[in-house]
Amino acid sequence: MSTPPPRVRFAPSPTGYLHVGGARTALFNWLYARAHGGTFVLRIEDTDAARNTPAAQAAIVDGLRWLGIDWDEGPEQNGPHAPYYQSQRGPIYDAYFQKLVDADHTYTEPNGAVRFRSPKKTIVLHDQICGDINIDRSEEPDMTIRRPDGSYIFHFVNVVDDIEMAISHVIRGEDHIYNTGKHIELFQAFGATPPVYAHIPLILNPDGSKMSKRDQGAALSYYIDHAFLPQAVANYLCLLGWSPKDDREILTMEEIQPLFRWENIGHSNAKFDLEKCRWLNAQYLAKLDAPSFDHLAIAWLLAQPTPLPGTDDPRLREVLPLIQPKIKAIPELAEHLPMLFDGAAPIADDARAKLAAQPALAPRLATLLSYLENLSDWSAASIQAAVAAAAAALAIKPGALLFPLRVLTTGQAHGVDLLPALEWLGRTEALPRLHARAAALTATST
RNA sequence: GACCCUUUCGUCUAACGGUUAGGACACGACCCUUUCACGGUUGUAAUACGGGUUCGAUUCCCGUAGGGGUCGCCA
């Protein structure tokens, strides 16, 4: 026997931002739809007029698109069940509401609010992830489904739309598990078959607390603004609560789709680890072709409120390939660019401290500089040869001169490949800064 | 507080009765190397606790503890 292809939905309310937990829920729904040849619906639950703004909706639409999630029905992609904004579906809700009234499933409070008369029975939820859960509704107060002003409550519109849009599977956060009891009552009151439910565990802060808007990395916009690669973020989000059941971690959405099964979804909440997300980002960043990296980097640079050194410099494009393999995320340009473009940048304390341990620093630097001065061809290979020659003259290993040379070049103990960086800098730019920092070092190190 | 879910290295997870409990991030060491990195190798590190069931429990059952969720005229 064959079952019809599933219809799933992501139904966010526009609160002004898209939470990573919400983004992952959207991703899981989308993955499920794509894995089974189903339909993914985006429905905006904007019944709360006060919070509903165009900017808030844009955060959702843009965020999902950025992640690589496309919807078959929804805003800007109208389908047979349009409109996909709850704020525009009033007549539908009125009609469904009347059904409930006619069947005597409701009663009105003195102030005008309307409640649904609960059967007060135990609902058994057959959850695809959590298993069978008994939800005792006998002691619960009747839920309100319509406010005195005539607007409808979440539970009501959510169920009505799931019926109207023929949603077959509801994949949502575990925080909704208790709502499901209410929702099933409503489905039954309408004579509709409830969808298949799958409640996924939540994403928590590193300290185990609930992620809220202001926590770093909680909003998807954080990753967009920090120029993360969407494939990396989507990949990371999937790793939270889902596993391919083997040792792979770097997977494309196409690879994940066939492995997206209920058995592969975890049962316990996961703490968000920004470090691992950055590591994953670095993996994707390293594989990026040069034009794409340039584009990403430059777009980020131009978006900075205070321009970073080198932003407008024509030599920027030449140095970007040196930086690409060194960073985990684009904002680390803020560390690399100043040391590369600013010859007067002061010498970092850790670099100075490491140098202080070197014997006979001043004479070594003098020898090294004299060899570099005499270089006619300022290429990485020539510079390397000059360093080797200086080292030979000093009877030390070339390696002993390279770290000091790095510090003279950038003022930092860490950075991009030194020799290519020196070549990129050019003789006329490099030599003065080498001399200046050598003077600064030897003046204070004695 | 009541109810529900959950519990393997610090973190994400694998192992669906028998493994030296595996991988990854982070951290340390070593190797590679011309510096910084990458990479390679490797180390530290876990089955919350207590009972059962079983020849044998990370795995099944019960209890305890911890964590999370829900208890709205928010969604």
Side-chain angles (χ1 to χ4, degrees):
Chain A
M1 107 178 192
S2 69
T3 51
R7 290 179 55 85
V8 299
R9 45 71 165 180
F10 177 55
S13 69
T15 58
Y17 81 116
L18 183 56
H19 190 272
V20 289
R24 190 196 54 164
T25 300
L27 204 45
F28 280 18
N29 274 283
W30 177 81
L31 247 9
Y32 189 81
R34 294 293 171 262
H36 295 88
T39 301
F40 177 59
V41 178
L42 175 60
R43 182 173 78 221
I44 307 294
E45 306 220 330
D46 56 351
T47 53
D48 188 346
R51 287 196 292 181
N52 173 31
T53 65
Q57 285 178 24
I60 293 168
V61 168
D62 295 347
L64 294 181
R65 287 219 173 102
W66 179 81
L67 260 189
I69 296 175
D70 60 324
W71 47 97
D72 307 300
E73 298 174 25
E76 298 167 47
Q77 188 68 46
N78 274 340
H81 304 285
Y84 293 92
Y85 295 91
Q86 289 190 330
S87 60
Q88 298 169 15
R89 297 173 63 80
I92 295 168
Y93 304 139
D94 290 339
Y96 272 80
F97 179 72
Q98 196 55 46
K99 287 188 197 177
L100 252 25
V101 172
D102 292 346
D104 196 31
H105 283 303
T106 67
Y107 61 93
T108 307
E109 295 279 1
N111 70 354
V114 178
R115 288 183 188 267
F116 172 78
R117 205 186 308 277
S118 168
K120 306 272 187 195
K121 287 193 247 177
T122 293
I123 300 282
V124 181
L125 164 61
H126 303 286
D127 194 272
Q128 295 303 302
I129 294 166
C130 301
D132 286 359
I133 299 170
N134 294 314
I135 302 176
D136 180 7
R137 300 278 307 144
S138 63
E139 304 295 318
E140 299 299 318
D142 290 331
M143 70 177 127
T144 305
I145 58 171
R146 197 176 75 161
R147 301 184 185 88
D149 68 2
S151 63
Y152 297 99
I153 301 292
F154 158 71
H155 305 295
F156 176 80
V157 292
N158 190 268
V159 167
V160 168
D161 283 343
D162 282 347
I163 293 171
E164 271 291 296
M165 297 181 180
I167 299 302
S168 63
H169 294 68
V170 169
I171 304 167
R172 47 157 55 149
E174 222 172 46
D175 51 342
H176 278 291
I177 214 156
Y178 256 68
N179 288 334
T180 305
K182 298 180 182 179
H183 295 181
I184 290 176
E185 285 185 349
L186 251 15
F187 275 102
Q188 291 174 343
F190 284 122
T193 305
V196 174
Y197 288 98
H199 287 90
I200 60 180
L202 273 19
I203 299 178
L204 271 23
N205 276 320
D207 69 359
S209 63
K210 193 173 181 178
M211 268 190 140
S212 66
K213 190 172 183 171
R214 64 181 166 186
D215 291 311
Q216 184 176 52
L220 193 68
S221 58
Y222 171 88
Y223 306 91
I224 301 175
D225 295 343
H226 288 75
F228 276 69
L229 290 171
Q231 301 91 321
V233 175
N235 190 162
Y236 179 69
L237 253 21
C238 285
L239 257 21
L240 256 25
W242 171 88
S243 164
K245 301 290 183 185
D246 56 32
D247 287 342
R248 285 179 296 167
E249 292 199 306
I250 300 174
L251 299 140
T252 64
M253 292 304 112
E254 290 69 30
E255 289 170 317
I256 291 175
Q257 277 172 23
L259 297 170
F260 196 79
R261 298 189 290 263
W262 305 132
E263 314 90 81
N264 290 6
I265 295 177
H267 293 192
S268 58
N269 297 342
K271 291 172 185 162
F272 194 91
D273 183 2
L274 190 53
E275 262 320 301
K276 183 142 188 181
C277 184
R278 296 180 80 250
W279 172 79
L280 216 37
N281 192 62
Q283 302 299 309
Y284 282 83
L285 217 43
K287 284 187 271 188
L288 219 53
D289 59 68
S292 301
F293 182 83
D294 287 1
H295 185 263
L296 197 64
I298 290 168
W300 181 82
L301 284 170
L302 293 176
Q304 296 315 296
T306 46
L308 251 23
T311 298
D312 299 324
D313 198 301
R315 295 170 302 168
L316 178 64
R317 279 179 187 277
E318 276 67 60
V319 81
L320 251 18
L322 261 38
I323 299 175
Q324 182 177 0
K326 299 289 179 179
I327 61 177
K328 288 184 176 172
I330 293 293
E332 287 173 46
L333 285 170
E335 295 159 32
H336 285 274
L337 260 24
M339 71 170 102
L340 258 9
F341 282 95
D342 181 6
I347 297 167
D349 288 341
D350 63 332
R352 193 183 285 273
K354 232 172 135 180
L355 245 27
Q358 287 226 352
L361 183 60
R364 285 184 180 182
L365 290 184
T367 304
L368 174 61
L369 285 174
S370 71
Y371 274 85
L372 290 172
E373 283 286 2
N374 294 327
L375 226 42
S376 54
D377 167 44
W378 193 264
S379 67
S382 303
I383 296 166
Q384 181 181 336
V387 171
L394 290 162
I396 57 175
K397 288 192 289 186
L401 288 176
L402 279 159
F403 183 75
L405 182 57
R406 165 179 291 285
V407 178
L408 296 188
T409 306
T410 64
Q412 297 291 324
H414 308 275
V416 301
D417 279 344
L418 180 58
L419 272 6
L422 273 169
E423 177 181 322
W424 165 80
L425 216 42
R427 179 197 185 90
T428 51
E429 181 78 21
L431 282 173
R433 61 161 87 171
L434 296 181
H435 276 110
R437 289 210 178 92
L441 268 176
T442 49
T444 52
S445 63
T446 47

